[in-house]
Amino acid sequence: MKKQILFILCLSFLLMASQCSRNFWKTYKPVQDNVVGLSVNAFTEKKGFVENLSLGGEIFIDDTQEKFVNNQGSDSEAEELKTELSYGVGSLFKKSDVKTYNLEVNGVTKTQIKDINNIMPNVDFIYGGLKADKVVLDITQKPETTVDLDLSKYKDLIKEKLGVEINNIKAEKKGDKKYELRIENPDIFYSIQIASINEAFGLSGNWYVKFDPVKNSPSKIVLKKGERTKFIRPVYSKFWSGAKPNLEVWLKNDDGNLKVFYTPVVGTRKEVDLSGFYDEKSKDWTIRRELIYTYPLSSNVSKQIYLYVDAKNNDGIITINNNNSYIKYPERRLEIK
């Protein structure tokens, strides 16, 4: 019985791993450049191949940040790209004058979004793409044929199959019954990753905490000069494991000025002067969803700390509306589809 259970568990794991590998990169049509970072309005998918891909605008929160990072594609990614392209192109040579063909992918580059915290949540988008300096297709004609291959015909077939512009496809005869077709555009992405940022992953309720979190606490917090609120801490989801940072956040009346303090992952406590949110006329601070810090939890999960404050200054004494003053701390998880 134990052996049967172990076998089932191992089989389930292998199936899951196989599916993850198969769905990680998706080939699509028509292939394009400049797609990474665009929102995905809609698409259809069959066996890992994407069609009817409808794209929108960029999904970056801060357009001034560096958006992308480029790295050499791994051996497995290059091999997977070669396999997918070979499978797609191979169907063109059935019932033709072609005896054999061999496809090679040269100079694979992986482009991905640099910072997932700069992405709008709950929107499908193109997270990464694989491109190549050159895709080379070597063809050998059947020996019994007496007429050269019509290379313009095969250029049109590749254009139709992959959606590559015809001016990016070169073709030439290389010898007796040997031909070469090349796609030469290093900017084309042949495979893509479609993903989304789930901003409330693993958390329930409103995932926030007031500056006086005690049940039935007063609706107002009064801070004299030099006084501060209680230390408050966010909750981490049960789905994330690892050493959780000792995060604490508090407000302080610093000689009539309102400041927020927090403990970073590395180093001593940090402070943010909130005078930029102060209205001299009404003597109020009104803050809604101000990002004060991002805690990386893993390569694809982070916790962001957003500040919300309603407070009033009365001759240096600051009164905080506890019902409208809190931190929100969503966990952002990158989910590749």
Side-chain angles (χ1 to χ4, degrees):
M1 183 66 179
K2 290 182 178 179
K3 290 183 178 180
Q4 289 178 326
I5 294 174
L6 182 61
F7 174 77
I8 292 172
L9 289 173
C10 290
L11 182 61
S12 299
F13 175 79
L14 290 172
L15 288 172
M16 289 173 63
S18 174
Q19 179 147 351
C20 289
S21 174
R22 186 170 63 249
N23 292 336
F24 194 69
W25 292 99
K26 303 177 187 294
T27 50
Y28 69 110
K29 173 187 174 182
V31 294
Q32 303 171 54
D33 57 8
N34 299 319
V35 296
V36 178
L38 298 183
S39 62
V40 175
N41 298 325
F43 67 94
T44 57
E45 182 178 1
K46 185 177 181 181
K47 296 182 179 180
F49 186 80
V50 170
E51 292 185 303
N52 304 313
L53 181 63
S54 173
L55 299 174
E58 289 191 341
I59 38 68
F60 297 102
I61 297 172
D62 183 355
D63 200 50
T64 64
Q65 290 186 23
E66 187 176 356
K67 298 177 181 177
F68 310 109
V69 59
N70 294 296
N71 291 300
Q72 180 179 347
S74 67
D75 291 343
S76 61
E77 288 165 339
E79 187 62 30
E80 183 177 352
L81 180 59
K82 174 183 175 179
T83 300
E84 292 294 335
L85 291 177
S86 297
Y87 177 78
V89 171
S91 62
L92 303 178
F93 303 123
K94 294 178 179 179
K95 299 180 181 180
S96 72
D97 291 336
V98 173
K99 179 183 178 182
T100 61
Y101 69 93
N102 180 62
L103 185 142
E104 293 293 335
V105 180
N106 301 325
V108 176
T109 298
K110 175 170 62 178
T111 299
Q112 289 179 312
I113 290 174
K114 184 174 183 179
D115 184 6
I116 64 170
N117 296 304
N118 192 30
I119 301 298
M120 290 184 288
N122 305 317
V123 176
D124 287 347
F125 63 95
I126 307 296
Y127 171 64
L130 292 177
K131 53 189 177 182
D133 293 337
K134 187 187 299 184
V135 177
V136 181
L137 183 63
D138 292 314
I139 301 172
T140 301
Q141 195 175 13
K142 290 178 179 178
E144 63 270 21
T145 55
T146 57
V147 180
D148 287 350
L149 287 181
D150 184 354
L151 294 179
S152 62
K153 167 189 171 183
Y154 285 100
K155 287 173 65 175
D156 288 337
L157 289 173
I158 291 176
K159 173 181 180 291
E160 176 63 25
K161 188 67 179 180
L162 300 180
V164 181
E165 292 296 329
I166 197 72
N167 61 326
N168 292 320
I169 307 172
K170 311 298 181 185
E172 61 180 310
K173 186 174 182 179
K174 302 294 287 186
D176 183 28
K177 300 189 184 304
K178 295 186 180 297
Y179 305 84
E180 182 182 88
L181 290 165
R182 302 184 306 277
I183 304 175
E184 298 180 331
N185 187 334
D187 297 322
I188 290 176
F189 290 105
Y190 295 97
S191 292
I192 55 174
Q193 293 170 316
I194 299 176
S196 64
I197 300 293
N198 189 335
E199 193 176 54
F201 169 75
L203 296 169
S204 61
N206 293 320
W207 34 273
Y208 77 99
V209 59
K210 298 179 181 179
F211 280 97
D212 188 348
V214 178
K215 187 176 181 180
N216 299 323
S217 59
S219 61
K220 295 181 179 180
I221 304 172
V222 179
L223 299 180
K224 297 178 182 178
K225 291 182 180 181
E227 293 183 339
R228 61 167 178 79
T229 63
K230 298 177 180 179
F231 297 126
I232 56 175
R233 295 177 177 177
V235 176
Y236 295 86
S237 74
K238 295 179 180 179
F239 295 93
W240 182 80
S241 60
K244 299 176 176 61
N246 185 27
L247 168 60
E248 294 177 328
V249 182
W250 64 96
L251 296 173
K252 181 180 179 180
N253 181 341
D254 188 11
D255 197 25
N257 297 314
L258 189 62
K259 293 183 178 181
V260 61
F261 291 79
Y262 63 92
T263 53
V265 172
V266 178
T268 58
R269 69 180 187 183
K270 303 293 182 182
E271 65 179 76
V272 179
D273 190 339
L274 302 177
S275 59
F277 300 93
Y278 184 63
D279 188 323
E280 289 284 354
K281 185 176 181 180
S282 63
K283 307 296 183 183
D284 290 338
W285 287 270
T286 303
I287 302 172
R288 288 291 172 267
R289 197 175 166 84
E290 178 67 15
L291 178 64
I292 60 173
Y293 196 67
T294 298
Y295 287 81
L297 301 181
S298 67
S299 61
N300 64 344
V301 181
S302 65
K303 179 176 285 295
Q304 294 188 307
I305 309 301
Y306 288 98
L307 180 66
Y308 295 73
V309 172
D310 273 347
K312 193 170 188 66
N313 188 358
N314 185 10
D315 294 329
I317 298 176
I318 299 175
T319 302
I320 300 169
N321 184 334
N322 191 46
N323 293 326
N324 294 329
S325 301
Y326 47 86
I327 58 169
K328 279 191 174 184
Y329 38 87
E331 285 177 21
R332 297 168 60 87
R333 180 185 183 184
L334 175 70
E335 297 183 339
I336 299 177
K337 299 180 179 295

